[in-house]
Amino acid sequence: MAVKIVKLIRYNPWWKGEGWEKEDHDLSKVGEIIPRKAINVKEGSIVLLRGIRRAGKSFYLKTQIKKLIKRGIDPRRILYIPCDRFTRGEVKGFIDELRLRHGELYIFLDEITYLKGWRLFLKELGEEGITTVATGSNPVELRKESELLPGRGIEGNEYYFNPLSFGEFARFMKPKLPPTSFSYREPKIDDFIPWYEEIEGLFYAYLQTGGFPEAVTDFKNHGEIKEERYEEIIRLVLGEIAKSGKNEEIARELLEALFRLKGNRVDYVTLAREIGISHPTVREYLSTLESARVIYTLEAWDIAKKRHAHRKEKKIIFQSPLIAIALAVYLGEDPVEFIEENLEWLVEHIVASHVIWHCEEPILREKHVFAGFYYDQSKECDIVIKGRNGFFGIEVKYGRVKRKTYSFPVLYLSKDELGEDTLPVSLYLYGLEKSRRSI
């Protein structure tokens, strides 16, 4: 079968030899590469990276390609295909033709869920033992489909791809900061308490960037976030809604309602009444936003029964503060003023996201298994994690810390207080690494 291979040349500039980075769409735009966790791509395996768009997945693939070339792999055996630009038939034709010419390939399939029947296609690549790295921005779709690929080299090779954590951001901005890592319930911060001022200053910068690589680069190079980043985030969110075939206007109204909540509890019926739609529709739209990792829905725990109380109110968490800030700009607010006026709930959302990133693993330990929150008539704990040793709570108190009595241990995160059960939130997040299956 003849294929129009010229369509691929612009996406695979390394075929030309040295200096290809200057022609690459992703690598040519940056002066400095942000370090990310390395993955081991084994011969004949399938690797899946799933996460929110614009978190840097395409750029990450290019850094992996660069490493393969540095290892001595023939560049002509490395094939990158943006799957949103081609049909499944074209992709299959490209792979077959290049295998005939160059033998076994390393294939990088970006946004694979755009291909019709992509699951079966990926399964075929696995059966043929073709080394494949695939990305997708629809995690629920990828999770459901990847579960149907047993014995195809995927086990242990799935990763979440998230925005930069605060620790990753801080060490990129100031490489001389000391490395550290600890468990969410056993934080050890003594070694970097002397760095508090530097880390606290960087935390406010992180709030503005939300860990999105392009926003991080903006801040490092210019000291502020370009206005176009906010538009990109809004387009990202609405694009996920459109891609799922849902109504964009309903999505806008729902996002505005979530924004007005500012971290407060809510139930599906109340949201539905406010927007003028049914509560099953609210649930469906929230599920789509969560599948795209725009938000997290936290359910309340029934501590006595050791399970979620599904009928109680929920908390909706924005995965990154930049999403909330972009919504504020979209609604006519100034980003800096918005951050200053809404600091505590933005920090609460950052803490929740970081703890989830720290604990979650594809298939084995998904968010709904361990994460939630707790409330009763007199108090509320922002995030409560269910682990092997029982429940553990975390409360964000950016003002004065007021302790309350719970049936489980609680860690209090403040702006600058330090005590037996209290830590500055910036130091806590600095040492909270992502899980082994989160990039």
Side-chain angles (χ1 to χ4, degrees):
M1 174 183 173
V3 297
K4 293 183 178 180
I5 206 72
V6 67
K7 291 184 177 181
L8 277 184
I9 292 174
R10 62 181 294 196
Y11 300 112
N12 293 266
W14 45 89
W15 292 348
K16 295 181 180 180
E18 293 183 6
W20 62 269
E21 294 90 342
K22 295 179 182 178
E23 294 186 36
D24 183 78
H25 173 73
D26 296 300
L27 295 184
S28 63
K29 295 189 294 185
V30 300
E32 191 174 4
I33 294 177
I34 301 174
R36 303 292 289 254
K37 182 185 294 182
I39 58 173
N40 182 24
V41 181
K42 297 179 182 179
E43 297 278 346
S45 67
I46 297 173
V47 174
L48 289 179
L49 308 178
R50 43 184 170 118
I52 191 170
R53 294 181 70 89
R54 309 204 75 86
K57 295 189 299 295
S58 299
F59 187 89
Y60 186 77
L61 293 187
K62 301 299 177 62
T63 64
Q64 297 304 302
I65 289 169
K66 192 172 180 179
K67 289 177 182 177
L68 287 175
I69 294 172
K70 192 173 182 179
R71 267 176 44 196
I73 302 299
D74 184 347
R76 293 172 299 178
R77 292 178 54 212
I78 301 171
L79 174 61
Y80 170 86
I81 303 177
C83 296
D84 55 344
R85 307 295 174 90
F86 301 102
T87 66
R88 176 181 165 182
E90 287 177 310
V91 172
K92 183 71 164 62
F94 295 145
I95 293 171
D96 290 345
E97 181 64 26
L98 288 174
R99 286 184 79 194
L100 284 173
R101 291 177 177 274
H102 303 299
E104 292 306 313
L105 304 176
Y106 289 83
I107 300 175
F108 294 82
L109 301 176
D110 207 359
E111 296 296 343
I112 192 173
T113 50
Y114 277 90
L115 297 183
K116 186 176 181 180
W118 70 269
R119 178 190 65 81
L120 182 59
F121 180 55
L122 198 58
K123 183 178 179 181
E124 291 170 356
L125 295 177
E127 289 173 341
E128 294 182 46
I130 300 174
T131 308
T132 306
V133 181
T135 75
S137 57
N138 190 328
V140 164
E141 178 79 2
L142 265 172
R143 173 174 59 80
K144 289 178 179 176
E145 300 289 4
S146 65
E147 287 171 351
L148 302 177
L149 292 168
R152 303 301 172 194
I154 194 174
E155 291 81 4
N157 290 330
E158 269 192 274
Y159 298 86
Y160 289 113
F161 201 99
N162 296 307
L164 295 176
S165 69
F166 172 56
E168 291 169 331
F169 168 83
R171 286 185 284 274
F172 172 65
M173 297 294 287
K174 286 188 178 294
K176 292 184 179 180
L177 287 173
T180 187
S181 176
F182 48 64
S183 161
Y184 72 93
R185 59 186 301 157
E186 295 179 347
K188 299 175 182 178
I189 67 166
D190 288 352
D191 290 344
F192 50 98
I193 286 176
W195 299 85
Y196 169 74
E197 288 186 343
E198 289 90 340
I199 292 172
E200 178 65 19
L202 288 169
F203 183 57
Y204 188 77
Y206 179 79
L207 268 166
Q208 299 174 64
T209 69
F212 281 89
E214 289 168 315
V216 170
T217 302
D218 284 349
F219 191 88
K220 186 165 188 179
N221 294 336
H222 309 292
E224 61 181 7
I225 311 303
K226 292 181 181 178
E227 193 168 312
E228 63 196 67
R229 301 295 170 233
Y230 304 123
E231 182 180 346
E232 288 169 354
I233 294 296
I234 295 299
R235 289 184 181 276
L236 174 161
V237 175
L238 296 180
E240 293 297 339
I241 291 293
K243 192 167 68 174
S244 66
K246 292 182 171 54
N247 185 290
E248 195 172 299
E249 187 57 37
I250 291 177
R252 281 197 182 98
E253 291 184 21
L254 178 58
L255 285 167
E256 290 181 25
L258 296 179
F259 177 79
R260 290 191 294 271
L261 284 173
K262 297 186 176 180
N264 290 317
R265 304 190 306 265
V266 73
D267 57 59
Y268 297 137
V269 174
T270 301
L271 279 174
R273 190 182 304 119
E274 184 172 344
I275 301 169
I277 57 177
S278 67
H279 72 270
T281 301
V282 167
R283 186 194 299 263
E284 186 180 340
Y285 275 69
L286 289 177
S287 177
T288 297
L289 290 171
E290 182 154 19
S291 77
R293 294 176 77 82
V294 172
I295 63 169
Y296 292 121
T297 299
L298 292 184
E299 294 201 69
W301 288 111
D302 183 323
I303 300 298
K305 295 181 179 179
K306 300 181 180 179
R307 66 188 185 197
H308 286 119
H310 298 299
R311 294 189 176 184
K312 296 188 76 172
E313 292 176 319
K314 328 290 181 191
K315 292 184 77 171
I316 310 299
I317 303 295
F318 289 108
Q319 196 212 44
S320 164
L322 188 60
I323 298 171
I325 296 166
L327 282 169
V329 173
Y330 176 70
L331 296 172
E333 297 194 36
D334 177 81
V336 175
E337 290 180 4
F338 169 75
I339 292 172
E340 291 175 352
E341 293 170 2
N342 297 277
L343 203 53
E344 184 156 334
W345 75 265
L346 288 174
V347 172
E348 180 188 327
H349 284 209
I350 293 174
V351 171
S353 291
H354 275 60
V355 174
I356 291 170
W357 295 349
H358 175 74
C359 296
E360 68 179 351
E361 294 189 15
I363 309 299
L364 295 177
R365 192 164 166 75
E366 302 277 4
K367 183 266 302 178
H368 64 272
V369 172
F370 62 85
F373 73 110
Y374 174 81
Y375 73 95
D376 57 29
Q377 292 182 339
S378 62
K379 57 187 179 294
E380 177 181 312
C381 189
D382 299 324
I383 183 166
V384 178
I385 300 299
K386 181 183 178 184
R388 293 178 180 176
N389 298 320
F391 291 99
F392 184 84
I394 299 170
E395 274 205 54
V396 177
K397 299 294 183 186
Y398 222 58
R400 188 167 65 89
V401 174
K402 296 179 180 179
R403 290 166 180 77
K404 296 175 182 177
T405 302
Y406 295 96
S407 61
F408 46 84
V410 174
L411 176 67
Y412 295 91
L413 300 180
S414 71
K415 177 176 173 58
D416 53 13
E417 289 187 35
L418 180 64
E420 184 179 352
D421 60 355
T422 307
L423 297 176
V425 66
S426 59
L427 297 187
Y428 179 75
L429 294 177
Y430 177 75
L432 204 60
E433 281 196 337
K434 294 172 180 173
S435 77
R436 60 177 182 163
R437 302 271 289 281
S438 179
I439 297 173

